Each structure stands twice: as structure tokens, then as C-alpha cells.
Amino acid sequence: MSANLAALGYLVAAVCFILALRGLSHPRTARPGNVIGMAGMALAILVTLATLPQPSVLAYGLIIIGIALGGTIGYLVAERIQMTAMPQLVAAFHSLVGLAAVFVAAAALLSPADFHILRPDGAIKTASLLEMGLGTIVGAITFTGSVIAWGKLQARFPRHIEERIPEPVLAVFRLFMRSAPILLPGRHLINAALAAAILVLLAVFMASESGWVFTLMTLLAFALGVLLIIPIGGADMPVVISMLNSYSGWAAAGIGFTLNNPMLIITGALVGSSGAILSYIMCRAMNRSFISVILGGFGESAAAAAEEGEKSVKQGSPEDAAFLMENAQKVIVVPGYGMAVAQAQHAVRELFDTLTKKGVEVKFAIHPVAGRMPGHMNVLLAEANIPYDVVFELEDINNEFQTADVAYVIGANDITNPAAKEDPGSPIYGMPVLDVEKAKAVIFVKRSLAPGYAGIDNPLFYRDNTMMVFGDAKKVTEEIVRSLDP
């Protein structure tokens, strides 16, 4: 394939990626946007294969085997993964992109002639050394940071895997697989020293092309990835996910420069910039600065907040909840991670249909950081075919709670916590939350009074207009639907 034809193919693929991102901005266009993105990726792969210099049967065979293995694994994972585990899956995918960047840079250092990055005197081009170094640093940080994020989201291994891991090793894993932040003494100084050492090693690597320097630089970047993420609490995980998404994009761009592949550079830049913008949006939604998230420590005062004395709650049954909803004119449903864990989205759709048939106005309120990754609740509701025109973001529906007869909260803990508005000493003070307490009645479905992912108690549980219904969100919602049916 000629260079001009390849450039045209890459241009079409890049346009497809841009259209895909635009399509993913709204649930109605998300599915066709995804299809356009897949078509762009297929075109990019075909163009890349067609432009291989002097390809051999062995080269094509290895590529086909790699595509077949990766495609099969990806298909099986996509088929079996639960929606509740989607954030972990995203973090795992980010880690693979980062590790790929490290491997490509290492391959370029070991065999620079094959990457066409040699000067006439036989030395590696200075610009290529910089690209390799930066790509490796970002990729290594992305890899270990994503692995730690996966651990914090996963919380524990499946039982059949835990049984095969020696207890001392398992204890180390459990230390990192906690949503609570791990606050090392002097962590900011340690991270700053590591970052400075990595930059010094990058300069030495560019001057010497030393493999040992490259290895040490990579190991320090791996360590920095771990230390950057472990002090970040679970409540900041949505921001961490989008931040690592951005990192993986820049790592892919670094691979593109090393491979001299414009498609990878464009794709990496799109992912990197969109991830950075999403991180900014998430931070605004939580009233947090990006720097404060990276520095970690969110939830340091959580334990103190949760250790208050016994308080009484008004407990009800699904039948009580059904009575309140049936006699309401307007119900606002607030889905949270509890709905995802219980896989209650289809039961919620039945509730929506039943109430609508009875003449009750039903709307859904979505907080930007509901769940454990951006858009988590929107995807779940779309999966259950909830109409898009009854799903509203925080800023569009918050004023309507004061006119609602019932707010039905399904495991949405931190994003409904009035302490964010009323308690200056709360770790989440200043974070925009849904004003569910302004509804005439609040029905809160939870398994227990345990604090949310931020690790702090929710005063909403103890309000006079709140009725707690304890149990699995799916079973409770199904029982409410049965009680509503004539």
C-alpha cells in the first residue's frame, strides 16, 4: 500500500474515532457511536497490516495468532463480565495499555534498527530516546496504578483463587485491595523524590542509551504508580478511573511515536485528552481539585465521622414503600452502586412501568459520580431500556426534589449525604449532592446502615421523613412491584 493511501486510511479511521467519541456523549447515539469506533479500529488495523515493510509469512502468522488470542479473550471477558465489575475491567484494560508501552520501548532499545530510529553514526536519535523514555515512564505508572485501582475496586479475589494463594502473599494483596486510603508517612516527599529521580534517569538515559539506566527508570516508574494510587480513597475512584484512562492514552501516543505510526499518535491523543477532560468534569462534580485527588488522603477523617453513637431509624417494609409510591403523584428514583451490586435495574424498570400505568410521574436522578466509574448508572438504566427522556443529571433535577412526593434511593449513599452541605468537618463537605432530603418522603434501600464508599455515616438515614427498607435492592424492588399490582 502506498504512503498516500495509508495516510488516507488513517485519516478515515481518525474521523471514525472522533465520531465515536461524539456518539458516546449521549445514550441514544452511544450504540451507533460504538459501531463507528469499531469500524475505525478495524480499518486502522488493516491499513497497518498492509503497510508492513517486507512482511514475512512468520510475521503475519504471529500477528494473526496475537489477534485471535486477544480477540478470543476479549470476547469471553465481555460475555461473562458483570456490570458491577465494569470499573475493574476498565482499570485492567488501562494496565495492559501501559505495559504495552513499556514493552514497545524496551523492544526499540534492544533492536533500534528494526524501528528505524538510528542516526547515520549508528546511535539512536535523541528525539526517539525522549519518546521511548516518556512512553515508558507514563506506561509504567499507568500499569501499576491501574493494578492498584483494580484491587481497590475488586476488594477480594474469587474464593477458588484465594485458596491457591499462600496466606503471606494473600495478606499483602489484601492490604492493597482495600478502598480505604493507605497513608504512608512522608508520602508526598517520597513521591516528589521518586519523580525527580525518574527525570534525572531520563536525562542520563538520553545521554548514554544505557539499558541499565532504562531498567532502573522503569522500575522507579512502576513504584511511583503504586505510591500515587494507594493513598487515594474509594470515593475518588471515578476520578482515578478517568485519570488512568488519560494516562493510557498518552502511553499509546508514546508507542505511536516509537513505532512512527500516526494512527497510534492520533488515537492516544484523543484518549488522553478526553480522559483529562473527563477527570476535570468529575473533579468539578465532587468539588475537588485534580491535585487534591492525586495527593490522596480523601476520607482521612472518615473513621471519626462513622464512630458516632447509636441513632434510631424509621424502618419499613416493601409493602409500606409500595403504599407511599402508589399514593404519590411524583416519584424520583436515585440509583447508586447498590442497584449495580444487586443487578436491580430490570426490577427498577418494572417499577417504573407499574407506577407509570397508575398515573404516577417517575423520573431518575443521576449524580455524575454515582457508582464507581463515570456513566455507570446511565449504562445500567439503558441496559434495562429505561426511556432516556426520564433520566436527568444532577443539575437538571435537583430543584425538583422539593416537589416530589417520594424519593426512592437505591444504595446511593455518599451522593445523597446532606453532610456535604451541612457539616464543614465532613470529608465530603462542598461536594454537590442530590437534595433527596427535600422530598416529602425518602425511601432508602440498603442492606445495612454501613457507611458508603467514602467511609462516612449518612445523616439522611435518621431524618424524620426517611424510611429505611433493609435488604437486597432487587428483591426489595420486586416485592414493591408485587405489592403495587392489583
Side-chain angles (χ1 to χ4, degrees):
M1 179 181 288
S2 67
N4 290 337
L5 189 58
L8 179 61
Y10 282 147
L11 177 61
V12 173
V15 171
C16 287
F17 294 150
I18 294 171
L19 293 175
L21 286 175
R22 181 178 178 84
L24 292 173
S25 64
H26 193 279
R28 291 187 185 275
T29 56
R31 188 179 295 274
N34 224 355
V35 172
I36 292 173
M38 292 164 61
M41 181 58 69
L43 176 61
I45 293 173
L46 291 174
V47 172
T48 301
L49 291 176
T51 55
L52 287 176
Q54 298 179 345
S56 63
V57 175
L58 176 61
Y60 271 126
L62 291 174
I63 291 171
I64 292 172
I65 291 173
I67 292 175
L69 285 175
T72 302
I73 294 172
Y75 176 80
L76 294 176
V77 169
E79 280 289 312
R80 298 177 181 179
I81 198 73
Q82 299 291 335
M83 272 304 304
T84 51
M86 195 58 66
Q88 295 94 297
L89 180 65
V90 172
F93 283 166
H94 291 163
S95 71
L96 296 178
V97 176
L99 192 60
V102 175
F103 284 161
V104 169
L109 180 62
L110 292 173
S111 185
D114 293 329
F115 286 78
H116 308 289
I117 56 176
L118 291 176
R119 298 199 303 252
D121 61 359
I124 300 176
K125 298 176 183 177
T126 303
S128 297
L129 290 170
L130 178 61
E131 294 159 6
M132 291 160 53
L134 291 177
T136 298
I137 292 168
V138 176
I141 292 173
T142 303
F143 173 69
T144 50
S146 298
V147 170
I148 296 299
W150 173 85
K152 284 178 173 285
L153 292 166
Q154 183 69 22
R156 61 172 298 167
F157 292 110
R159 186 176 300 276
H160 67 279
I161 295 180
E162 283 193 347
E163 292 173 350
R164 300 179 181 180
I165 301 176
E167 188 58 38
V169 178
L170 189 60
V172 175
F173 277 116
R174 284 173 178 162
L175 176 66
F176 292 103
M177 295 177 74
R178 299 188 308 155
S179 63
I182 301 174
L183 306 176
L184 299 177
R187 63 186 186 279
H188 300 319
L189 183 61
I190 294 173
N191 290 346
L194 267 179
I198 289 170
L199 292 177
V200 170
L201 288 172
L202 174 61
V204 174
F205 170 67
M206 292 175 61
S208 65
E209 299 182 23
S210 169
W212 288 106
V213 174
F214 177 87
T215 302
L216 181 57
M217 178 181 68
T218 304
L219 292 176
L220 290 183
F222 279 138
L224 183 59
V226 173
L227 294 176
L228 280 175
I229 304 302
I230 59 173
I232 300 178
D236 281 332
M237 271 303 119
V239 181
V240 172
I241 291 294
S242 58
M243 177 189 73
L244 291 170
N245 178 50
S246 179
Y247 287 1
S248 68
W250 301 126
I255 297 175
F257 280 110
T258 303
L259 296 175
N260 195 27
N261 187 302
M263 190 70 260
L264 267 177
I265 298 171
I266 294 171
T267 305
L270 285 172
V271 174
S273 56
S274 61
I277 293 170
L278 184 59
S279 298
Y280 171 73
I281 294 173
M282 291 294 104
C283 286
R284 283 191 59 190
M286 299 171 69
N287 195 33
R288 305 262 284 144
S289 71
F290 186 74
I291 297 299
S292 69
V293 173
I294 298 303
L295 293 179
F298 191 76
E300 286 177 86
S301 58
E307 291 174 0
E308 297 183 4
E310 289 293 327
K311 300 176 182 178
S312 61
V313 299
K314 185 191 301 180
Q315 185 174 347
S317 65
E319 291 75 19
D320 297 326
F323 177 80
L324 289 174
M325 291 186 187
E326 191 170 24
N327 290 278
Q329 292 182 331
K330 183 177 184 178
V331 174
I332 299 179
V333 181
V334 181
Y337 190 66
M339 186 182 78
V341 171
Q343 299 182 35
Q345 60 269 27
H346 296 288
V348 171
R349 172 60 198 255
E350 293 179 20
L351 177 65
F352 169 79
D353 290 338
T354 304
L355 289 174
T356 302
K357 289 178 182 177
K358 291 180 176 293
V360 180
E361 181 185 9
V362 182
K363 293 185 176 182
F364 291 80
I366 305 296
H367 193 282
V369 293
R372 294 190 181 179
M373 67 179 292
H376 201 176
M377 295 302 105
N378 301 75
V379 173
L380 285 173
L381 295 180
E383 180 188 342
N385 294 316
I386 300 292
Y388 303 133
D389 56 359
V390 299
V391 180
F392 298 89
E393 300 296 331
L394 177 145
E395 61 271 13
D396 298 321
I397 200 171
N398 231 9
N399 291 332
E400 295 193 33
F401 280 102
Q402 56 192 350
T403 63
D405 297 294
V406 176
Y408 184 53
V409 185
I410 314 174
N413 202 331
D414 301 321
I415 61 173
T416 62
N417 195 328
K421 300 175 289 185
E422 302 167 356
D423 182 8
S426 172
I428 62 171
Y429 182 70
M431 170 181 166
V433 294
L434 293 163
D435 297 333
V436 295
E437 76 279 0
K438 294 182 179 180
K440 292 179 183 177
V442 178
I443 301 172
F444 211 123
V445 179
K446 273 179 65 70
R447 294 179 182 272
S448 69
L449 289 175
Y453 212 51
I456 59 177
D457 197 20
N458 190 343
L460 180 63
F461 300 160
Y462 317 106
R463 296 287 175 98
D464 291 336
N465 64 331
T466 299
M467 181 177 72
M468 301 297 299
V469 182
F470 295 108
D472 178 85
K474 181 179 179 181
K475 293 180 180 178
V476 169
T477 304
E478 288 173 344
E479 289 181 26
I480 292 175
V481 172
R482 282 195 292 269
S483 299
L484 286 170
D485 285 335

